Every structure is written in structure tokens, then in C-alpha cells.
Amino acid sequence: RWIEYSFPVPAGDIDLVSDALCSIGSVGVNVEERSLDTFTVPDPDEKIPSFYIIKAYFPENDSRESLTGEILSNLDPLLAGLTIDQIQVTSLRQEDWAEGWKQHFSALRFGERLVVKPTWEEWDAGQNDAIVSLDPGMAFGTGSHETTRLCLQALADSFDAAKAPGRVLDVGTGSGILAIAAAKLGAPNVVGSEIDADSCRVASDNVSLNGVDDRVDITDRLLDQIEGDFDLVIANIMAEENVRLAAELVDHLADDGTLILSGILREKEAFVLDGFSPYALPQPVVTYENDWCCICYSRDGSA
């Protein structure tokens, strides 16, 4: 069991207070910060809070009152105004941290065959199910974010169509979830492109975990260094990056290929459509989930 101490700290004193808490036995400190989204650029004009809530964790013992007094005593030179009434104290069990988050990641089905599930969850697979197993990790992508779900659905629809894609390019592969899904659905040649070294490592591990090493190549090569064209190109990246890379994305698309673009807020839909308007692409199919959208251009006339 653990004790969580939670109280407000001026932004400029976070580091000093964290050090002081660790010096008296805290096994970990958590600071609440701004909520960020992978696909949303932080507003540079957003007002930065003057106070943050700091949470410090100590092993549970019989001297809680003594520990509280020690915390107040040690922090008094730094936080002279801190009182016992400002401190919230909560008891936690180890499994609250180690297991509790798992409830937010469960198996999801996309289309007729594709299933994305966490490694710890059992799944009674049907004869034609394509199973992708993942653990949340450092790289983005478990199927829990709207943009990933939109891409997985569009990907599944592409493979449920009459002519399944043979060569697939996943730009900004992250955890590798989309590249792995394409291979599991039957694509014999998949390239997952990612510029972040940690994400490349995680994606490669996930590829091995799912047994598709022979079909998926995770690379840190830039888009203009990847050769050939592809039946399916996926770019689940920020709207601005989709537009910046528009020419290269279209250049990698086969004559009868499909281009799936996501990571796009609804308010940026027109911006992305305008960015791709100079290219010879058919009318796109746009799908939505909450504040996000996915834009699919299919040169064979289907989404």
C-alpha cells in the first residue's frame, strides 16, 4: 500500500519541492500539467497556470501523522503558506497503478476481420479474424485514439473490398499498429516509416510480437528516400504534416491506389482538402469520429 500526498505548488518551485519530497522518502512524484494531444499543436498563447498540483507517493506505514508533519516541516522554507488543510491524503494499492489503466484498452473489431486487442486479453478468434496484439508503450497507437480508429476502419474496408492492397506504406507508423494490421489482413509487402528512433524500436518489437517480420519493414528513411509506389498509402499524422508532404504522398500512390489521411481535426478538414486539391485525385470520402476526421482518396473510385 502507498500514501499519496497532493497539494498545490507554484510553477517555479516544482523542481525544488520535488527534490525535498524525495529527500524525505518519496518513491515518486507526479506533476499535473496541461493536457496534450498527439495531433494537436499546443496553443503558444495559452495561459500557463501559476500553480500545479503535485502528487508525492510514500510507502504506507503507521506514522502517517508523523510523515505529514515532516512534509510540512521540510517544505516550510519553500512553501511558507502551505497548511495541512491544503494537503489531500489518499491510500492506494499497488494494483491501482499497475493494473487500473488496463480497463481503458480492450479488444476492438474493425470491418469484417480485423481485431486489435491487448496482449493480456484472451480472444476467441473466428476462422478469418486477423488479430493484432499490442501493449500500450512509448510509441503512439493502440487503437484508442479516434484518429487511429478511423484509420483502422478505413484500412479494414480497403481489405474487405474486391481487390485487396498488395503494397502498403504507413507514414508515421508510431507503434506500427497500422502496418501490422495491413500485414495481418494479407498485405505481403508493408513499409512503416517513422523518423523517431524510439518509435522505430517499439514498432519493430510489435512487428516481431505479431509474427509479421517477413512482411513488414520498419524504417527511419524519409519519405523521399522510399522507392516505388504503393496500393495503399496511410498517413496518420498532423494535418499540417499531411499538407506539407502532399506531393510525396501522392507520388508514392499507385495509379489505382488508395490514400488514407488522418490525424486531422474537423476544423482542419478544409485546410487538408485545399492542400491536396492541386493533385489529380478523385472526390474523397470523409468519415468522422468526435472532433476528428479521416479523408480517403481512392483512384479506383471506392473508399
Side-chain angles (χ1 to χ4, degrees), residues 53 96 108 225 236 253 281 299:
I53 299 298
D96 290 341
L108 298 168
Q225 298 171 342
N236 187 24
L253 191 62
L281 294 170
R299 281 178 166 167

Coordinates of all heavy atoms in Angstrom, one line a residue, residues 53 96 108 225 236 253 281 299:
I53 N -0.7 21.0 -9.4 CA -0.9 20.1 -8.3 C 0.2 19.0 -8.4 O 0.4 18.4 -9.4 CB -2.3 19.4 -8.5 CG1 -3.4 20.4 -8.4 CG2 -2.5 18.3 -7.4 CD1 -3.5 21.2 -7.1
D96 N -3.6 -0.4 -8.1 CA -4.3 0.7 -8.6 C -3.5 1.4 -9.8 O -4.0 1.9 -10.7 CB -4.5 1.8 -7.5 CG -5.5 1.3 -6.5 OD1 -6.3 0.4 -6.8 OD2 -5.5 1.9 -5.4
L108 N -11.0 -4.4 -29.9 CA -11.8 -3.7 -30.8 C -11.9 -4.4 -32.2 O -10.9 -4.9 -32.6 CB -11.3 -2.2 -31.0 CG -11.2 -1.3 -29.8 CD1 -10.4 -0.1 -30.1 CD2 -12.6 -1.0 -29.3
Q225 N 13.0 9.1 -49.6 CA 14.1 8.1 -49.7 C 13.5 6.7 -49.9 O 14.2 5.7 -50.1 CB 15.0 8.1 -48.5 CG 15.7 9.4 -48.3 CD 16.5 9.4 -47.0 OE1 16.2 8.7 -46.1 NE2 17.5 10.3 -46.9
N236 N -1.3 8.8 -40.9 CA -2.0 9.2 -39.6 C -1.1 10.2 -38.9 O -0.5 9.8 -37.8 CB -2.3 8.0 -38.8 CG -3.2 8.3 -37.6 OD1 -3.9 9.3 -37.6 ND2 -3.2 7.5 -36.6
L253 N 1.7 6.9 -54.5 CA 0.4 6.2 -54.7 C 0.3 5.6 -56.1 O 0.6 6.3 -57.1 CB -0.7 7.2 -54.5 CG -2.1 6.7 -54.3 CD1 -2.2 5.8 -53.1 CD2 -3.1 7.8 -54.3
L281 N -6.7 13.8 -58.0 CA -7.3 12.8 -57.1 C -8.8 12.9 -57.2 O -9.4 14.0 -57.4 CB -6.9 13.1 -55.6 CG -5.4 12.9 -55.3 CD1 -5.1 13.4 -53.9 CD2 -5.0 11.4 -55.4
R299 N -8.3 6.0 -56.1 CA -8.2 6.2 -57.5 C -9.0 5.2 -58.3 O -9.3 5.4 -59.5 CB -6.8 6.2 -58.0 CG -6.0 7.5 -57.7 CD -4.6 7.5 -58.1 NE -4.0 8.8 -58.1 CZ -2.7 9.0 -58.2 NH1 -1.8 8.0 -58.3 NH2 -2.2 10.3 -58.3

